[in-house]
Coordinates of all heavy atoms in Angstrom, one line a residue:
M1 N 6.4 -28.9 -30.8 CA 5.1 -29.2 -30.2 C 4.0 -28.6 -31.0 O 3.0 -29.2 -31.2 CB 5.1 -28.7 -28.7 CG 3.9 -29.1 -28.0 SD 3.6 -30.9 -27.8 CE 4.9 -31.3 -26.6
A2 N 4.2 -27.3 -31.4 CA 3.1 -26.6 -32.2 C 2.8 -27.4 -33.4 O 1.6 -27.5 -33.8 CB 3.6 -25.2 -32.5
R3 N 3.8 -28.0 -34.0 CA 3.6 -28.8 -35.2 C 2.8 -30.0 -34.9 O 1.9 -30.4 -35.7 CB 5.0 -29.2 -35.8 CG 4.9 -30.0 -37.1 CD 4.8 -29.1 -38.3 NE 4.9 -29.9 -39.5 CZ 3.9 -29.9 -40.4 NH1 2.8 -29.2 -40.3 NH2 4.1 -30.7 -41.5
L4 N 3.1 -30.7 -33.8 CA 2.3 -31.8 -33.4 C 0.8 -31.5 -33.2 O -0.1 -32.2 -33.6 CB 2.9 -32.5 -32.2 CG 4.2 -33.2 -32.3 CD1 4.7 -33.7 -31.0 CD2 4.0 -34.4 -33.3
V5 N 0.6 -30.3 -32.5 CA -0.8 -29.9 -32.3 C -1.5 -29.6 -33.6 O -2.6 -30.0 -33.8 CB -0.8 -28.6 -31.4 CG1 -2.2 -28.0 -31.3 CG2 -0.2 -28.9 -30.0
E6 N -0.8 -29.0 -34.5 CA -1.4 -28.7 -35.8 C -1.7 -30.0 -36.6 O -2.8 -30.1 -37.1 CB -0.4 -27.9 -36.7 CG -1.0 -27.5 -38.0 CD 0.1 -27.4 -39.1 OE1 1.2 -27.0 -38.8 OE2 -0.2 -27.8 -40.2
I7 N -0.8 -31.0 -36.6 CA -1.1 -32.2 -37.3 C -2.3 -33.0 -36.6 O -3.2 -33.4 -37.3 CB 0.2 -33.1 -37.3 CG1 1.2 -32.5 -38.1 CG2 -0.2 -34.5 -37.7 CD1 2.6 -33.1 -38.0
A8 N -2.3 -33.0 -35.3 CA -3.4 -33.7 -34.6 C -4.7 -33.0 -34.8 O -5.8 -33.6 -34.8 CB -3.1 -33.8 -33.1
S9 N -4.7 -31.7 -35.1 CA -5.9 -30.9 -35.2 C -6.6 -30.9 -36.6 O -7.7 -30.5 -36.7 CB -5.6 -29.5 -34.8 OG -5.1 -29.4 -33.5
R10 N -5.8 -31.5 -37.5 CA -6.4 -31.5 -38.9 C -7.6 -32.3 -38.9 O -7.7 -33.4 -38.5 CB -5.4 -32.1 -39.9 CG -4.2 -31.1 -40.1 CD -3.2 -31.8 -41.1 NE -2.0 -30.9 -41.2 CZ -0.9 -31.4 -41.7 NH1 -0.7 -32.6 -42.1 NH2 0.2 -30.6 -41.7
S11 N -8.7 -31.8 -39.5 CA -9.9 -32.5 -39.7 C -10.6 -32.8 -38.4 O -11.5 -33.7 -38.4 CB -9.7 -33.8 -40.5 OG -9.1 -33.5 -41.7
R12 N -10.2 -32.2 -37.3 CA -10.9 -32.5 -36.0 C -11.3 -31.2 -35.4 O -10.5 -30.2 -35.5 CB -10.0 -33.3 -35.1 CG -9.7 -34.7 -35.6 CD -8.4 -35.2 -35.1 NE -8.6 -36.3 -34.2 CZ -7.6 -37.0 -33.6 NH1 -6.4 -36.5 -33.7 NH2 -7.9 -38.0 -32.8
A13 N -12.4 -31.2 -34.7 CA -12.8 -30.0 -34.0 C -11.8 -29.6 -32.8 O -11.4 -30.5 -32.1 CB -14.2 -30.1 -33.4
T14 N -11.5 -28.4 -32.7 CA -10.6 -27.9 -31.6 C -11.3 -27.0 -30.7 O -12.2 -26.3 -31.1 CB -9.3 -27.3 -32.2 OG1 -9.7 -26.2 -33.0 CG2 -8.5 -28.3 -33.0
V15 N -10.8 -26.9 -29.5 CA -11.4 -26.0 -28.5 C -10.7 -24.6 -28.7 O -9.7 -24.4 -29.3 CB -11.1 -26.4 -27.1 CG1 -11.8 -27.8 -26.8 CG2 -9.6 -26.5 -26.8
G16 N -11.4 -23.6 -28.2 CA -10.9 -22.2 -28.3 C -9.7 -22.0 -27.3 O -9.4 -22.9 -26.5
D17 N -9.1 -20.9 -27.5 CA -7.9 -20.6 -26.7 C -8.1 -20.6 -25.2 O -7.3 -21.2 -24.4 CB -7.3 -19.2 -27.1 CG -6.6 -19.2 -28.4 OD1 -6.4 -20.3 -29.0 OD2 -6.4 -18.1 -29.0
A18 N -9.3 -20.1 -24.8 CA -9.6 -20.0 -23.3 C -9.7 -21.4 -22.7 O -9.2 -21.7 -21.7 CB -10.8 -19.2 -23.1
E19 N -10.5 -22.3 -23.4 CA -10.6 -23.6 -22.9 C -9.3 -24.4 -23.0 O -9.0 -25.2 -22.1 CB -11.7 -24.3 -23.7 CG -11.9 -25.8 -23.4 CD -12.4 -26.1 -22.0 OE1 -12.7 -25.1 -21.2 OE2 -12.4 -27.2 -21.6
Y20 N -8.6 -24.2 -24.0 CA -7.3 -24.8 -24.1 C -6.4 -24.5 -23.0 O -5.8 -25.3 -22.3 CB -6.6 -24.4 -25.5 CG -5.3 -25.1 -25.8 CD1 -5.2 -26.5 -25.8 CD2 -4.2 -24.4 -26.2 CE1 -4.0 -27.2 -26.1 CE2 -3.0 -25.0 -26.5 CZ -2.9 -26.4 -26.5 OH -1.7 -27.0 -26.8
E21 N -6.3 -23.2 -22.7 CA -5.5 -22.7 -21.5 C -6.0 -23.2 -20.2 O -5.2 -23.6 -19.3 CB -5.4 -21.2 -21.5 CG -4.6 -20.6 -22.7 CD -3.2 -21.2 -22.9 OE1 -2.5 -21.5 -21.9 OE2 -2.8 -21.4 -24.0
R22 N -7.3 -23.3 -20.1 CA -7.9 -23.8 -18.8 C -7.5 -25.3 -18.6 O -7.1 -25.7 -17.5 CB -9.4 -23.7 -18.9 CG -10.2 -24.0 -17.6 CD -11.7 -24.1 -17.8 NE -12.1 -25.3 -18.5 CZ -12.3 -26.5 -17.9 NH1 -12.1 -26.6 -16.6 NH2 -12.7 -27.5 -18.6
R23 N -7.6 -26.1 -19.7 CA -7.2 -27.5 -19.6 C -5.8 -27.6 -19.2 O -5.4 -28.5 -18.4 CB -7.6 -28.2 -20.9 CG -9.0 -28.4 -21.2 CD -9.3 -29.1 -22.5 NE -10.7 -29.4 -22.7 CZ -11.1 -30.1 -23.8 NH1 -10.3 -30.5 -24.7 NH2 -12.4 -30.3 -23.9
L24 N -4.9 -26.9 -19.9 CA -3.5 -27.0 -19.7 C -3.1 -26.6 -18.3 O -2.2 -27.1 -17.7 CB -2.7 -26.2 -20.7 CG -2.8 -26.7 -22.2 CD1 -1.9 -25.8 -23.1 CD2 -2.3 -28.2 -22.2
A25 N -3.8 -25.6 -17.7 CA -3.5 -25.1 -16.4 C -3.8 -26.3 -15.4 O -3.1 -26.5 -14.4 CB -4.3 -23.9 -16.0
I26 N -4.9 -27.0 -15.6 CA -5.3 -28.1 -14.8 C -4.3 -29.2 -14.9 O -3.8 -29.8 -13.9 CB -6.7 -28.6 -15.1 CG1 -7.8 -27.5 -14.8 CG2 -7.0 -29.9 -14.4 CD1 -9.1 -27.8 -15.4
C27 N -3.9 -29.5 -16.1 CA -2.8 -30.5 -16.3 C -1.5 -30.1 -15.6 O -0.9 -31.0 -15.0 CB -2.6 -30.8 -17.8 SG -3.9 -31.6 -18.6
S28 N -1.2 -28.9 -15.7 CA 0.1 -28.4 -15.0 C 0.1 -28.7 -13.5 O 1.1 -28.9 -13.0 CB 0.3 -27.0 -15.3 OG 0.6 -26.8 -16.7
A29 N -1.1 -28.6 -12.9 CA -1.2 -28.8 -11.5 C -1.5 -30.2 -11.1 O -1.6 -30.6 -9.9 CB -2.3 -27.9 -10.9
C30 N -1.7 -31.1 -12.1 CA -2.1 -32.5 -11.8 C -0.9 -33.3 -11.4 O 0.2 -33.3 -12.0 CB -2.7 -33.1 -13.1 SG -3.2 -34.8 -12.9
P31 N -1.0 -34.1 -10.3 CA 0.1 -35.0 -9.9 C 0.4 -36.1 -10.9 O 1.5 -36.7 -10.7 CB -0.4 -35.5 -8.6 CG -1.9 -35.5 -8.7 CD -2.2 -34.3 -9.5
D32 N -0.4 -36.3 -11.8 CA -0.2 -37.4 -12.8 C 0.4 -36.9 -14.1 O 0.4 -37.6 -15.1 CB -1.4 -38.2 -13.0 CG -1.8 -39.0 -11.7 OD1 -0.9 -39.3 -11.0 OD2 -3.0 -39.2 -11.5
L33 N 0.8 -35.6 -14.1 CA 1.5 -35.1 -15.3 C 3.0 -35.5 -15.2 O 3.6 -35.2 -14.2 CB 1.4 -33.6 -15.4 CG 2.1 -33.0 -16.7 CD1 1.4 -33.4 -17.9 CD2 2.1 -31.5 -16.5
Q34 N 3.5 -36.2 -16.1 CA 4.9 -36.7 -16.1 C 5.8 -35.9 -17.0 O 5.4 -35.6 -18.2 CB 5.0 -38.1 -16.4 CG 4.2 -39.0 -15.4 CD 4.4 -40.5 -15.7 OE1 4.2 -40.9 -16.8 NE2 4.7 -41.3 -14.7
Y35 N 7.0 -35.6 -16.6 CA 8.0 -34.9 -17.4 C 7.5 -33.5 -17.8 O 8.0 -32.9 -18.8 CB 8.4 -35.7 -18.6 CG 8.6 -37.1 -18.3 CD1 7.7 -38.1 -18.9 CD2 9.5 -37.6 -17.4 CE1 7.9 -39.4 -18.6 CE2 9.7 -38.9 -17.1 CZ 8.8 -39.8 -17.7 OH 9.0 -41.2 -17.4
G36 N 6.4 -33.0 -17.2 CA 5.8 -31.7 -17.6 C 5.1 -31.7 -19.0 O 4.7 -30.7 -19.5
T37 N 5.0 -32.9 -19.5 CA 4.4 -33.0 -20.9 C 3.3 -34.1 -21.1 O 2.5 -34.0 -21.9 CB 5.5 -33.3 -21.9 OG1 6.1 -34.6 -21.6 CG2 6.5 -32.2 -22.0
T38 N 3.4 -35.2 -20.3 CA 2.7 -36.4 -20.6 C 1.8 -36.9 -19.5 O 2.2 -36.9 -18.4 CB 3.8 -37.5 -20.9 OG1 4.7 -37.0 -21.9 CG2 3.1 -38.8 -21.4
C39 N 0.6 -37.2 -19.9 CA -0.4 -37.7 -18.9 C -0.1 -39.2 -18.6 O 0.1 -40.0 -19.5 CB -1.8 -37.6 -19.5 SG -3.0 -38.3 -18.4
R40 N 0.0 -39.4 -17.3 CA 0.4 -40.8 -16.9 C -0.7 -41.8 -17.2 O -0.4 -43.0 -17.4 CB 0.5 -40.8 -15.4 CG 0.7 -42.1 -14.7 CD 1.0 -41.9 -13.2 NE 0.9 -43.1 -12.5 CZ -0.1 -43.5 -11.7 NH1 -1.0 -42.6 -11.4 NH2 -0.1 -44.6 -11.2
H41 N -1.9 -41.4 -17.4 CA -3.0 -42.3 -17.6 C -3.2 -42.7 -19.0 O -3.7 -43.9 -19.3 CB -4.3 -41.8 -17.0 CG -4.2 -41.5 -15.5 ND1 -4.2 -42.6 -14.6 CD2 -4.1 -40.4 -14.8 CE1 -4.1 -42.1 -13.4 NE2 -4.0 -40.8 -13.5
C42 N -2.9 -41.8 -19.9 CA -3.2 -42.2 -21.4 C -1.9 -42.2 -22.2 O -1.9 -42.6 -23.3 CB -4.2 -41.2 -22.0 SG -3.7 -39.5 -22.0
G43 N -0.8 -41.6 -21.6 CA 0.4 -41.5 -22.3 C 0.4 -40.4 -23.4 O 1.3 -40.3 -24.2
C44 N -0.6 -39.6 -23.4 CA -0.7 -38.5 -24.4 C 0.1 -37.3 -24.0 O 0.3 -37.0 -22.8 CB -2.2 -38.1 -24.5 SG -3.3 -39.3 -25.1
L45 N 0.5 -36.6 -25.0 CA 1.1 -35.3 -24.8 C -0.1 -34.3 -24.5 O -1.0 -34.2 -25.3 CB 1.9 -34.8 -26.0 CG 3.1 -35.6 -26.3 CD1 3.6 -35.2 -27.7 CD2 4.2 -35.4 -25.3
V46 N -0.1 -33.7 -23.3 CA -1.3 -33.0 -22.9 C -1.5 -31.8 -23.8 O -2.7 -31.4 -24.0 CB -1.4 -32.6 -21.4 CG1 -1.5 -33.9 -20.6 CG2 -0.2 -31.8 -21.1
K47 N -0.5 -31.2 -24.4 CA -0.7 -30.0 -25.2 C -1.4 -30.4 -26.5 O -2.0 -29.6 -27.2 CB 0.7 -29.4 -25.6 CG 1.2 -28.6 -24.4 CD 2.4 -27.7 -24.8 CE 2.7 -26.8 -23.7 NZ 3.9 -25.9 -24.0
V48 N -1.3 -31.7 -26.9 CA -2.0 -32.2 -28.1 C -3.4 -32.6 -27.7 O -4.4 -32.1 -28.2 CB -1.3 -33.3 -28.7 CG1 -2.1 -33.9 -29.9 CG2 0.1 -32.9 -29.3
R49 N -3.5 -33.4 -26.6 CA -4.8 -33.9 -26.2 C -5.8 -32.8 -25.8 O -7.0 -32.8 -26.2 CB -4.6 -34.8 -25.0 CG -5.9 -35.6 -24.6 CD -5.6 -36.5 -23.4 NE -6.8 -37.2 -23.0 CZ -7.1 -38.4 -23.4 NH1 -6.3 -39.1 -24.2 NH2 -8.3 -39.0 -23.1
A50 N -5.3 -31.8 -25.1 CA -6.2 -30.7 -24.6 C -6.8 -29.9 -25.8 O -7.8 -29.2 -25.6 CB -5.4 -29.8 -23.7
K51 N -6.2 -29.9 -26.9 CA -6.6 -29.1 -28.0 C -7.9 -29.6 -28.7 O -8.6 -28.9 -29.3 CB -5.5 -28.9 -29.1 CG -5.8 -27.9 -30.1 CD -5.8 -26.5 -29.5 CE -6.0 -25.4 -30.6 NZ -6.3 -24.1 -30.0
L52 N -8.2 -30.9 -28.6 CA -9.2 -31.5 -29.3 C -10.5 -31.5 -28.5 O -10.6 -32.0 -27.4 CB -8.8 -32.9 -29.7 CG -7.5 -33.0 -30.5 CD1 -7.2 -34.5 -30.7 CD2 -7.6 -32.2 -31.8
V53 N -11.6 -31.1 -29.1 CA -12.9 -31.1 -28.5 C -13.3 -32.5 -28.0 O -13.8 -32.6 -26.9 CB -14.0 -30.6 -29.5 CG1 -15.4 -30.8 -28.9 CG2 -13.8 -29.1 -29.8
E54 N -13.0 -33.5 -28.7 CA -13.4 -34.9 -28.4 C -12.6 -35.4 -27.2 O -13.0 -36.5 -26.6 CB -13.2 -35.8 -29.6 CG -11.8 -36.0 -29.9 CD -11.5 -36.5 -31.3 OE1 -12.3 -36.1 -32.2 OE2 -10.6 -37.3 -31.5
S55 N -11.5 -34.8 -26.8 CA -10.7 -35.4 -25.7 C -11.4 -35.2 -24.4 O -12.1 -34.3 -24.1 CB -9.4 -34.6 -25.7 OG -8.6 -34.9 -26.8
T56 N -11.1 -36.2 -23.5 CA -11.5 -36.1 -22.1 C -10.2 -36.3 -21.3 O -9.2 -36.8 -21.7 CB -12.5 -37.2 -21.8 OG1 -11.9 -38.4 -22.1 CG2 -13.8 -37.0 -22.6
C57 N -10.4 -35.9 -20.0 CA -9.3 -36.2 -19.1 C -9.5 -37.6 -18.5 O -10.6 -37.9 -18.0 CB -9.4 -35.2 -17.9 SG -8.4 -35.7 -16.5
P58 N -8.5 -38.5 -18.6 CA -8.7 -39.9 -18.2 C -8.4 -40.1 -16.7 O -8.3 -41.3 -16.3 CB -7.6 -40.6 -19.1 CG -6.5 -39.6 -19.2 CD -7.2 -38.2 -19.3
Y59 N -8.4 -39.0 -15.9 CA -8.1 -39.2 -14.5 C -9.1 -40.2 -13.9 O -10.3 -40.1 -14.2 CB -8.2 -37.9 -13.8 CG -7.6 -37.8 -12.4 CD1 -6.3 -37.6 -12.2 CD2 -8.4 -38.1 -11.3 CE1 -5.7 -37.5 -11.0 CE2 -7.9 -38.0 -10.0 CZ -6.5 -37.8 -9.9 OH -5.9 -37.7 -8.6
P60 N -8.7 -41.2 -13.1 CA -9.6 -42.2 -12.6 C -10.8 -41.7 -11.8 O -10.6 -40.9 -10.9 CB -8.7 -43.1 -11.7 CG -7.3 -42.8 -12.3 CD -7.3 -41.4 -12.7
Y61 N -11.9 -42.1 -12.2 CA -13.2 -41.8 -11.5 C -13.7 -40.4 -11.7 O -14.9 -40.2 -11.5 CB -13.1 -42.2 -10.0 CG -12.6 -43.5 -9.8 CD1 -11.4 -43.7 -9.1 CD2 -13.3 -44.7 -10.2 CE1 -10.9 -45.0 -8.9 CE2 -12.8 -45.9 -10.0 CZ -11.6 -46.1 -9.4 OH -11.1 -47.4 -9.2
A62 N -12.9 -39.5 -12.0 CA -13.4 -38.1 -12.1 C -12.5 -37.3 -13.0 O -11.3 -37.0 -12.7 CB -13.5 -37.4 -10.7
S63 N -13.1 -36.8 -14.2 CA -12.3 -36.0 -15.0 C -11.9 -34.7 -14.3 O -12.7 -34.1 -13.6 CB -13.1 -35.6 -16.3 OG -12.5 -34.5 -17.0
Q64 N -10.6 -34.4 -14.5 CA -10.1 -33.1 -13.9 C -10.5 -31.9 -14.7 O -10.4 -30.8 -14.3 CB -8.6 -33.2 -13.7 CG -8.2 -34.3 -12.8 CD -8.8 -34.2 -11.4 OE1 -8.6 -33.3 -10.6 NE2 -9.6 -35.2 -11.0
W65 N -10.9 -32.2 -16.0 CA -11.3 -31.1 -16.8 C -12.8 -30.7 -16.7 O -13.2 -29.7 -17.3 CB -11.0 -31.4 -18.3 CG -9.6 -31.6 -18.7 CD1 -8.5 -31.3 -17.9 CD2 -9.1 -32.1 -19.9 NE1 -7.4 -31.6 -18.7 CE2 -7.7 -32.0 -19.9 CE3 -9.7 -32.5 -21.1 CZ2 -6.9 -32.5 -21.0 CZ3 -9.0 -32.9 -22.2 CH2 -7.6 -32.9 -22.1
A66 N -13.5 -31.5 -16.0 CA -15.0 -31.2 -15.9 C -15.2 -29.8 -15.4 O -14.5 -29.3 -14.5 CB -15.6 -32.2 -15.0
Q67 N -16.2 -29.1 -15.9 CA -16.4 -27.7 -15.5 C -17.5 -27.7 -14.4 O -18.3 -28.5 -14.3 CB -16.9 -26.9 -16.7 CG -15.8 -26.8 -17.7 CD -16.1 -25.8 -18.8 OE1 -16.7 -24.8 -18.6 NE2 -15.6 -26.1 -20.0
Ligands
SF4_1 S1 -5.1 -37.0 -15.6 FE1 -6.2 -35.3 -16.7 S2 -5.5 -33.4 -15.6 FE2 -4.0 -35.1 -15.2 S3 -2.4 -34.9 -16.7 FE3 -3.9 -36.4 -17.5 S4 -5.3 -35.2 -18.8 FE4 -4.2 -33.7 -17.5

């Protein structure tokens, strides 16, 4: 997984550790996280998606990552 995060992060802006952990904590508690790894709405591995600044949470009608 770390290798996937590294590959996806090349040439793209990434969030800091605190924001990354905040996003992952929200995903961990989300009812739409499947298999402990994958967002039901976008099919993304959340450990990869959460690392990128440009990413948003695709939860319908309201991002769960919004601060
Ligand atoms: S809907 Fe948002 S909070 Fe839920 S698993 Fe997907 S990215 Fe994470």
Side-chain angles (χ1 to χ4, degrees):
M1 185 62 75
R3 180 88 172 120
L4 286 176
V5 172
E6 183 212 323
I7 291 169
S9 301
R10 287 180 189 162
S11 309
R12 294 157 115 179
T14 57
V15 297
D17 290 345
E19 175 62 8
Y20 185 53
E21 294 304 324
R22 188 188 75 83
R23 289 179 176 185
L24 291 181
I26 293 168
C27 290
S28 292
C30 179
D32 292 333
L33 181 68
Q34 297 184 314
Y35 319 115
T37 59
T38 306
C39 176
R40 173 175 167 251
H41 298 289
C42 61
C44 295
L45 294 168
V46 294
K47 284 192 173 179
V48 174
R49 187 179 182 95
K51 191 65 180 170
L52 305 177
V53 168
E54 68 198 36
S55 293
T56 58
C57 164
Y59 195 86
Y61 308 115
S63 168
Q64 300 301 298
W65 291 353
Q67 298 190 32

